[in-house]
Amino acid sequence: MFLTVFIIPLLLAGCRYTAAPADLLRKPDASADHLELTAAVKDVLPEYSKLMLPNKDDFKDAIRLLDIDGDRKDEAVVTFFNEYSIPQIVIFKQTGSGWKQWLLVEQPLARDIGWLKFVDVGGEDELVMLVGWVGSFDNPNVLEHYSFQAQAERDDNGNLVLRPVESIPYELAETGDLEGNGDIELALITSTGNGGELVVPKYSLAVYTLQENGMTKKASMELADTASAFQSLKIGRISESGYGIVIDGITGAHSSVTLMFAWENRKLLLVYPSRSLQAGMSRASSQDVNDDGILEVEQRIEAPGYMDTPYSEMQWINIWLQWDGEKSFHPVKTRYEDYVYDLKIDIPDSWQNRYTLKKPTAPYGLISFEYWDAMEQASYDLATVYVVPQKKWTTAAAYWKSGGIPYHQVMTDSGNIFVVSFQTAPPEGLSEAGAKAFGELLEAEKDFPSYLSIEHME
């Protein structure tokens, strides 16, 4: 049924794309059916309207095809700003005489679409549409539930307008399987008291079941005053056998918090932070970091040896922790991340508890890894990662060669060459045990390129 997606990277007369980056636009499908839809969209959308993408969406296209009403024929869903910069959704239906406008969906008090989701609630390709409208001025964000089985109404212009079955103020929304039974639930974060500058907002989390005719609340709870705002909400597996919800929020200029709730006995139970494991300096990046289908929480900790260092000079290590479903969390990934170059360096298992980080002073130096002697509270140079602009490569390579400094190119990206330089042997002055440990860390050199990756933000 769904989801077949295409985008028409054309300037429609009086209508243009504003949200899709150029590198995401695909070549136009020149089939007669798609050209016909292009013409239908052109005819229906007002002059000076602009195609747009919701702020959070599974799609990268302002025009998408999916079977909404279960008739085995795709409808076309178009998101756009009208000539008054009000967000709207138009749904086109295939008829014997071509693509025709079927339904118009709008929220006059909105200034954007924050979230858009289609959910099969009947198991027979019966979709409902969930739209998170971003409120304008003093109007709150609202989550609206639309049923395509509901009776549409004619507006003053003769358009069939689909009205929401239900409307709820919200801050964040997500759908997912909370019980592991294949049914899809909706989770919402709502807030109160955030309309005035002097009032600290209070947040609540609620879970709903979805039906054609509305939503039924199955659980709710207030969220502790641990965050000034929430950024991310995820639903899914949180252990080998358990399901739940993970929320990331902001607590200050340099800190954030992650909350993990398990769904047990039809209740949400807080399992992180817990008495046995307090939250660290999280960067609010809970995710399935190792692709095993389980959501992990992230802790951001100081690299060893920075106890008396100013915050601006600290080096940080990111650790993702997975819940065992009972009382404990264990690390599944340790990583250094550079947010200037979007570089991620996974830390080898053999380095755990035996390394620290340092900002190198050498030209083009990005980060240095050092062998860390916890007993002596001392560190020794192990490896340094460099980032060299391609136009400076000849000079940099000549400098390293003249100084007898070994180096290996590991990747190129965005006009830069990434290089790693390992020490060739343990430094003098290490104990026999220290030299042995240092040598074990050096063994990671041959596999080091596989630990590096770059993931640019869209």
Side-chain angles (χ1 to χ4, degrees), residues 390-403:
Q390 288 181 330
K391 60 184 179 181
K392 300 289 187 180
W393 174 249
T394 301
T395 302
Y399 170 79
W400 290 328
K401 289 179 181 178
S402 65

Side-chain angles (χ1 to χ4, degrees), residues 76-153:
V77 180
V78 182
T79 51
F80 67 101
F81 290 113
N82 69 11
E83 67 270 39
Y84 304 109
S85 297
I86 296 174
Q88 293 182 315
I89 302 170
V90 169
I91 301 173
F92 291 82
K93 204 169 185 58
Q94 298 183 67
T95 71
S97 57
W99 288 96
K100 301 296 181 182
Q101 178 177 335
W102 176 29
L103 297 169
L104 174 67
V105 180
E106 60 183 350
Q107 171 48 262
L109 298 180
R111 61 180 171 86
D112 205 348
I113 299 177
W115 186 69
L116 178 61
K117 202 83 167 186
F118 292 87
V119 181
D120 185 349
V121 297
E124 297 180 358
D125 299 338
E126 297 176 0
L127 301 188
V128 299
M129 182 173 68
L130 303 172
V131 185
W133 302 99
V134 179
S136 58
F137 303 107
D138 293 331
N139 299 302
N141 300 342
V142 290
L143 188 287
E144 295 191 327
H145 172 291
Y146 296 87
S147 168
F148 296 103
Q149 307 303 315
Q151 184 69 41
E153 303 173 2

Side-chain angles (χ1 to χ4, degrees), residues 292-339:
D292 65 349
I294 300 174
L295 293 170
E296 288 86 28
V297 298
E298 181 192 10
Q299 281 192 341
R300 193 181 188 212
I301 64 173
E302 302 170 13
Y306 285 87
M307 294 300 294
D308 299 320
T309 304
Y311 182 91
S312 60
E313 298 179 15
M314 289 181 183
Q315 298 299 322
W316 300 94
I317 299 167
N318 301 309
I319 302 174
W320 280 269
L321 304 164
Q322 188 176 108
W323 188 41
D324 67 359
E326 296 181 0
K327 297 181 178 180
S328 300
F329 286 78
H330 61 274
V332 297
K333 181 81 70 177
T334 305
R335 176 181 284 169
Y336 168 78
E337 297 189 0
D338 177 85
Y339 305 105

Side-chain angles (χ1 to χ4, degrees), residues 156-167:
D156 293 340
N157 296 317
N159 298 308
L160 273 178
V161 178
L162 188 64
R163 305 300 183 189
V165 174
E166 199 156 357
S167 180

Side-chain angles (χ1 to χ4, degrees), residues 11-321:
L11 291 180
L12 303 178
C15 177
R16 57 190 176 88
Y17 284 90
T18 60
D23 59 353
L24 293 177
L25 301 182
R26 306 175 189 174
K27 293 181 179 179
D29 189 327
S31 68
D33 186 56
H34 286 177
L35 291 175
E36 187 178 282
L37 178 55
T38 303
V41 172
K42 171 184 172 181
D43 289 341
V44 167
L45 265 59
E47 189 176 6
Y48 306 117
S49 63
K50 296 179 288 189
L51 294 178
M52 54 83 77
L53 296 176
N55 296 334
K56 183 182 178 184
D57 199 346
D58 296 335
F59 294 90
K60 303 300 180 185
D61 307 326
I63 303 175
R64 72 198 73 193
L65 293 177
L66 63 159
D67 180 8
I68 288 174
D69 54 5
D71 64 355
R72 300 298 185 263
K73 292 182 179 180
D74 286 337
E75 283 71 43
V77 180
V78 182
T79 51
F80 67 101
F81 290 113
N82 69 11
E83 67 270 39
Y84 304 109
S85 297
I86 296 174
Q88 293 182 315
I89 302 170
V90 169
I91 301 173
F92 291 82
K93 204 169 185 58
Q94 298 183 67
T95 71
S97 57
W99 288 96
K100 301 296 181 182
Q101 178 177 335
W102 176 29
L103 297 169
L104 174 67
V105 180
E106 60 183 350
Q107 171 48 262
L109 298 180
R111 61 180 171 86
D112 205 348
I113 299 177
W115 186 69
L116 178 61
K117 202 83 167 186
F118 292 87
V119 181
D120 185 349
V121 297
E124 297 180 358
D125 299 338
E126 297 176 0
L127 301 188
V128 299
M129 182 173 68
L130 303 172
V131 185
W133 302 99
V134 179
S136 58
F137 303 107
D138 293 331
N139 299 302
N141 300 342
V142 290
L143 188 287
E144 295 191 327
H145 172 291
Y146 296 87
S147 168
F148 296 103
Q149 307 303 315
Q151 184 69 41
E153 303 173 2
R154 294 281 181 185
D155 66 8
D156 293 340
N157 296 317
N159 298 308
L160 273 178
V161 178
L162 188 64
R163 305 300 183 189
V165 174
E166 199 156 357
S167 180
I168 303 175
Y170 90 109
E171 297 294 328
L172 282 178
E174 190 53 88
T175 58
D177 184 356
L178 189 59
E179 298 185 344
N181 58 4
D183 293 337
I184 300 299
E185 283 80 26
L186 168 69
L188 284 182
I189 293 179
T190 59
S191 68
T192 58
N194 60 353
E197 295 181 0
L198 300 179
V199 179
V200 178
K202 293 185 178 297
Y203 294 94
S204 299
L205 171 65
V207 177
Y208 296 83
T209 56
L210 296 168
Q211 297 95 21
E212 279 285 352
N213 59 354
M215 307 184 299
T216 303
K217 185 182 293 186
K218 61 191 303 181
S220 64
M221 64 184 303
E222 289 190 5
L223 298 174
D225 298 332
T226 54
S228 57
F230 288 98
Q231 294 180 306
S232 174
L233 172 63
K234 298 180 176 69
I235 303 174
R237 288 177 61 200
I238 59 172
S239 68
E240 287 289 346
S241 58
Y243 291 77
I245 295 174
V246 184
I247 307 171
D248 296 318
I250 300 172
T251 59
H254 301 290
S255 61
S256 52
V257 66
T258 295
L259 305 174
M260 176 181 281
F261 298 91
W263 181 255
E264 295 182 4
N265 299 319
R266 301 188 63 78
K267 294 181 179 180
L268 291 168
L269 303 177
L270 182 68
V271 297
Y272 179 91
S274 65
R275 292 181 180 179
S276 62
L277 184 63
Q278 296 300 313
M281 284 286 295
S282 169
R283 290 199 66 259
S285 183
S286 58
Q287 58 185 289
D288 178 11
V289 72
N290 59 349
D291 297 322
D292 65 349
I294 300 174
L295 293 170
E296 288 86 28
V297 298
E298 181 192 10
Q299 281 192 341
R300 193 181 188 212
I301 64 173
E302 302 170 13
Y306 285 87
M307 294 300 294
D308 299 320
T309 304
Y311 182 91
S312 60
E313 298 179 15
M314 289 181 183
Q315 298 299 322
W316 300 94
I317 299 167
N318 301 309
I319 302 174
W320 280 269
L321 304 164

